[in-house]
Amino acid sequence: MAEAESTQREVRSFLMPRDPSIDRRFRPRPQQRIALFHDIKEEDDDWEIDSSLDDTSELASADRISETASSGAISDATTANPPNEVGASVYLRLRPVDCPTSTFAISKEGNILICCPPHEATNLNKNSTEKHYSFTDIFDSHVGQHELYEKCIGQKIIAEESFTVLTYGTSGSGKTFTLLGDDHRPGIIPRSLENLFSLYEGQIYPHPSAKIINGHVTILEDNVTGKENLIRKKILAQNIELESQHKSFQQCIRNEHCFPKGPIDDAHVLIWVTFVEIYNEQVHDLLDDDAPKYGVQPNSSRKNLKIICNDGRVFIKSATSIYVKSSLEALKLLRYGQKKLKYASTSINANSSRSHCIFLLDVLKYYPGVIKRTSYKFCDLAGSERLDKTGNVGSRLKEAQRINTSLMVLGRCLDAASAAGNKQERIPFRESKLTMLLQAALQGREKLTMVVNLTPLDKYYEENSNVLNFASIARNIIFKSSIAKQNHTRYSNFMENTRCDIEKVDKAKDEYIQDLTEENARLHEELQTLRAQLEEQEQILHTKLQQLEEMLRAQHSEEMEEQEDTLRNKLVDSFKTTLAETKRQGEKRLQVQLNCQAQTYETKVFYIIMIASLIRKYEAEIEDLEEELERRK
């Protein structure tokens, strides 16, 4: 009976309904209780408590024992995995605060967070005990962006492994800063882009000749390639202002990292970028040029994309993918999509993200006859919120409810994935768009990395407890890799005979290879002899050709001089004839022009004489009219 109660007590209340036997009124009870089971030694090693971490064992409660035991089990499960089991990497990052508190402390090992409830904790029944949470690594407020990137992401890109990165935490805990950073402290995505293009430097293919369409790699026709280039140039031209900042941005990253370059081979690399957001359980394309920008048309409706699962592959139907050839182009697309993200102000965060955004990089590495695909997903999850502290109403309230619902479904999927390590259990992917898109990571087909962001303040203790419980589930996930099956047969005689035949064939093959080696050496010697003879013959032929050229040049020099004189005389005569004809035609044209000018002059003189006679006539008439006018006066 006691075992049933302890097992029931381990059920996480934020994922499952609360058991009716638990006190719902949270009535006060004594803070100091006697650990009745402290002297009892359990047979299971997972329930042993490290005495070095138990400073107040005399006053420890049964809840503390169970919580520490569960965290110890998580740590053992993840550190002592069998060779064919791989767990998710869960990191904790503490945001810098002005007034550090002793509520959250890091153990000496550096990967365990010790949470002591503050004195003003409201929920005494649930938060009155110290709890330990195990992580892959913990980054305090003094750890920079470059160290976090090197430990979390850097080696995965060098190994060319597909992975998914999740940043999770409460609103305003620094998730977006961890993923994106700022102009002087770049985040995970800008550093990943620089690392990626440094790794494939010199191998980027100049044209988008292959693309992932509906989850499958497709070779594009020439007309489709032209359309892709037009779409790419149109979108990249809208972010010209980033070019002036990119050099300093790139130099800042390269000063902190020494990214290796990949091996030089015959491979060609094509990199495609997709950027989407999940807002109110609707998938919106952030790279669609026809979609309205945030702030310009806030009430405009955007197209809701569908997430489709086809033959184990998950893809977003009709999502825009842009081909990029440099980190600058990828950053331009990132900034372009950020302008369309949904942001709003709450009482906790003045610039709170109201959606989950996913930045996807698909790398196609083409070898002769083979195309290798690697996928990188960077997910900036919206912050979990308590409605009584944010004070959201109206559309903000609806957004918060949808965010908390999708995060709850993600927690259920993580819980089911952690339980699926021992038995087959259905993982509820289809209950949320976010979990549908993250199927590959939750099933172990991609590396899963979670960066949990925490604001270590007493007033956020309850919210941080929920976040840490969420992280402990992800930390407990173990993926079993596929094991190659060995062939077993009963036909031992057949196998023995076959083995003998193989040995005979190998022996004959060795003899044949030795004969070929000797024959090859002999032919090599003959080839060297023939090359020497050929060089000697070429030298003799070259000498004879030089002698023949000198002889022919001496014989034909006089004939060439005579031909030159004849040709020169012909050219002179022809030039004289042409010059005389040109002169004659010029004189003729000049005479015609003179005649035309003489005729024009005579015509002008004639008109002048006529005008003069008319003037004299009109003057005489005027004088007669004046005399007649004087007489009449």
Side-chain angles (χ1 to χ4, degrees):
M1 188 67 180
E3 293 179 358
E5 290 179 358
S6 63
T7 304
Q8 203 169 24
R9 201 176 282 174
E10 290 179 4
V11 176
R12 298 168 182 87
S13 60
F14 72 101
L15 294 178
M16 305 293 182
R18 185 183 298 276
D19 190 86
S21 63
I22 297 177
D23 186 6
R24 294 176 178 270
R25 300 181 182 178
F26 303 112
R27 288 170 288 191
R29 61 181 180 179
Q31 289 292 320
Q32 297 181 358
R33 289 170 293 175
I34 300 174
L36 299 177
F37 305 100
H38 180 67
D39 296 330
I40 299 177
K41 181 177 178 65
E42 296 288 338
E43 294 179 358
D44 190 0
D45 294 338
D46 291 340
W47 288 85
E48 292 180 1
I49 305 174
D50 189 358
S51 59
S52 63
L53 297 178
D54 188 6
D55 297 333
T56 60
S57 60
E58 295 180 356
L59 304 178
S61 64
D63 292 337
R64 176 180 174 182
I65 294 176
S66 62
E67 185 65 33
T68 309
S70 63
S71 64
I74 293 172
S75 178
D76 294 340
T78 52
T79 55
N81 292 339
N84 63 330
E85 293 183 354
V86 180
S89 301
V90 183
Y91 300 89
L92 177 66
R93 188 177 196 186
L94 301 178
R95 178 175 179 173
V97 293
D98 296 333
C99 300
T101 178
S102 60
T103 304
F104 303 95
I106 303 175
S107 66
K108 295 180 180 179
E109 292 80 2
N111 64 337
I112 296 177
L113 184 71
I114 304 173
C115 300
C116 299
H119 297 292
E120 61 272 11
T122 57
N123 193 345
L124 299 178
N125 280 352
K126 189 165 67 173
N127 294 327
S128 60
T129 58
E130 180 182 294
K131 298 179 182 179
H132 294 185
Y133 296 93
S134 174
F135 293 91
T136 306
D137 202 349
I138 298 179
F139 306 105
D140 57 16
S141 58
H142 302 290
V143 176
Q145 299 274 60
H146 65 285
E147 186 176 350
L148 183 142
Y149 175 79
E150 287 291 344
K151 291 186 178 181
C152 299
I153 307 298
Q155 296 302 320
K156 294 182 177 63
I157 289 183
I158 296 174
E160 298 181 341
E161 297 176 341
S162 297
F163 63 80
T164 297
V165 181
L166 302 176
T167 55
Y168 177 75
T170 58
S171 181
S173 59
K175 302 181 298 299
T176 303
F177 175 77
T178 298
L179 207 58
L180 300 178
D182 54 24
D183 293 339
H184 304 288
R185 294 166 295 179
I188 290 177
I189 293 180
R191 295 174 191 269
S192 299
L193 292 174
E194 290 297 333
N195 194 353
L196 196 64
F197 282 96
S198 297
L199 184 66
Y200 298 127
E201 185 176 357
Q203 295 180 326
I204 304 297
Y205 198 68
H207 304 291
S209 58
K211 184 180 181 181
I212 299 175
I213 301 177
N214 294 337
H216 298 280
V217 180
T218 305
I219 305 299
L220 302 182
E221 300 291 340
D222 292 341
N223 57 343
V224 181
T225 301
K227 292 180 181 179
E228 292 290 344
N229 279 323
L230 290 177
I231 296 173
R232 169 177 166 271
K233 292 178 180 178
K234 182 180 179 181
I235 295 180
L236 292 177
Q238 301 182 28
N239 293 273
I240 304 177
E241 67 277 0
L242 187 62
E243 297 180 358
S244 59
Q245 307 173 3
H246 180 254
K247 290 185 178 179
S248 60
F249 194 71
Q250 188 180 44
Q251 190 63 33
C252 175
I253 296 176
R254 293 189 175 181
N255 289 338
E256 296 177 345
H257 301 276
C258 183
F259 294 133
K261 295 183 179 180
I264 300 176
D265 49 20
D266 296 335
H268 297 288
V269 178
L270 299 94
I271 301 177
W272 294 83
V273 172
T274 307
F275 199 9
V276 298
E277 73 167 350
I278 301 176
Y279 174 72
N280 285 345
E281 283 302 303
Q282 292 187 348
V283 183
H284 296 155
D285 190 355
L286 298 177
L287 297 183
D288 186 6
D289 188 53
D290 298 330
K293 293 183 179 180
Y294 174 72
V296 179
Q297 296 176 349
N299 296 324
S300 299
S301 60
R302 293 190 290 177
K303 184 179 179 181
N304 180 22
L305 304 181
K306 292 183 179 179
I307 299 177
I308 297 178
C309 305
N310 183 15
D311 193 19
R313 300 176 182 269
V314 181
F315 61 91
I316 306 172
K317 188 176 182 180
S318 303
T320 304
S321 295
I322 305 297
Y323 177 70
V324 292
K325 296 188 287 187
S326 65
S327 60
L328 173 60
E329 295 181 353
L331 284 175
K332 284 184 177 181
L333 297 179
L334 179 63
R335 295 287 179 88
Y336 179 80
Q338 282 182 273
K339 297 177 183 178
K340 300 182 181 181
L341 283 173
K342 289 288 185 179
Y343 289 97
S345 177
T346 64
S347 59
I348 296 178
N349 189 1
N351 192 25
S352 175
S353 176
R354 313 309 297 166
S355 63
H356 309 298
C357 68
I358 299 97
F359 187 78
L360 298 96
L361 291 173
D362 286 312
V363 180
L364 302 180
K365 197 170 184 180
Y366 172 75
Y367 296 93
V370 179
I371 296 180
K372 177 185 176 183
R373 176 186 176 183
T374 309
S375 178
Y376 307 111
K377 298 183 184 71
F378 303 90
C379 305
D380 184 12
L381 302 180
S384 58
E385 299 177 347
R386 290 179 63 90
L387 302 182
D388 56 347
K389 289 190 176 182
T390 57
N392 291 330
V393 293
S395 60
R396 299 287 87 81
L397 176 61
K398 181 181 178 182
E399 293 169 353
Q401 290 173 344
R402 292 293 180 89
I403 290 171
N404 291 338
T405 301
S406 63
L407 293 177
M408 184 190 68
V409 174
L410 177 60
R412 292 178 58 191
C413 291
L414 292 173
D415 189 49
S418 64
N422 300 322
K423 60 181 180 179
Q424 293 293 332
E425 185 169 341
R426 177 184 172 273
I427 302 177
F429 294 120
R430 295 185 178 273
E431 295 185 11
S432 171
K433 297 291 182 66
L434 177 64
T435 52
M436 286 181 65
L437 197 58
L438 302 180
Q439 279 190 47
L442 296 175
Q443 289 178 336
R445 291 187 280 114
E446 292 180 358
K447 298 288 185 179
L448 177 60
T449 300
M450 178 181 290
V451 181
V452 180
N453 296 85
L454 211 66
T455 305
L457 292 176
D458 292 345
K459 63 178 181 179
Y460 298 128
Y461 180 77
E462 294 183 6
E463 293 88 335
N464 290 337
S465 297
N466 292 333
V467 170
L468 293 172
N469 290 332
F470 187 96
S472 68
I473 302 173
R475 177 71 171 146
N476 199 27
I477 296 178
I478 297 175
F479 300 115
K480 290 188 176 181
S481 58
S482 58
I483 303 174
K485 295 183 179 180
Q486 298 179 355
N487 292 324
H488 299 281
T489 178
R490 298 180 181 178
Y491 302 106
S492 57
N493 294 330
F494 174 76
M495 294 301 296
E496 289 293 334
N497 296 333
T498 304
R499 189 178 296 109
C500 294
D501 294 340
I502 291 174
E503 290 177 357
K504 292 180 181 179
V505 171
D506 290 340
K507 185 176 180 180
K509 187 189 296 183
D510 293 338
E511 294 177 355
Y512 180 68
I513 291 174
Q514 186 176 359
D515 294 340
L516 287 178
T517 304
E518 294 176 357
E519 182 69 15
N520 188 23
R522 186 182 62 79
L523 292 175
H524 184 71
E525 292 178 358
E526 291 183 0
L527 180 63
Q528 294 294 334
T529 304
L530 291 174
R531 282 181 177 175
Q533 294 177 0
L534 181 62
E535 290 178 357
E536 185 178 357
Q537 294 294 331
E538 287 180 350
Q539 186 67 27
I540 295 173
L541 180 61
H542 182 68
T543 304
K544 289 184 178 181
L545 285 175
Q546 287 182 347
Q547 294 176 356
L548 182 61
E549 286 179 357
E550 293 177 357
M551 186 185 302
L552 292 174
R553 191 178 297 108
Q555 291 178 357
H556 296 286
S557 60
E558 296 180 357
E559 296 179 359
M560 292 176 66
E561 289 179 358
E562 292 178 359
Q563 290 178 0
E564 288 179 358
D565 293 337
T566 304
L567 181 61
R568 187 180 296 107
N569 293 331
K570 288 182 179 180
L571 289 174
V572 170
D573 295 340
S574 175
F575 179 73
K576 288 180 179 180
T577 304
T578 305
L579 184 62
E581 181 66 21
T582 303
K583 183 179 179 181
R584 184 181 63 79
Q585 292 179 357
E587 290 177 351
K588 184 177 180 181
R589 285 195 299 272
L590 181 61
Q591 185 64 35
V592 171
Q593 291 177 359
L594 289 175
N595 293 335
C596 291
Q597 290 180 359
Q599 292 178 1
T600 304
Y601 178 75
E602 291 177 355
T603 304
K604 290 181 179 179
V605 170
F606 173 74
Y607 283 123
I608 290 171
I609 294 172
M610 289 181 62
I611 292 170
S613 62
L614 289 173
I615 291 172
R616 287 193 296 272
K617 178 180 177 182
Y618 291 146
E619 287 179 350
E621 290 180 355
I622 290 170
E623 289 177 355
D624 294 339
L625 291 172
E626 288 178 352
E627 290 178 357
E628 184 177 357
L629 183 61
E630 289 179 355
R631 283 195 303 268
R632 289 184 180 183
K633 287 182 179 181

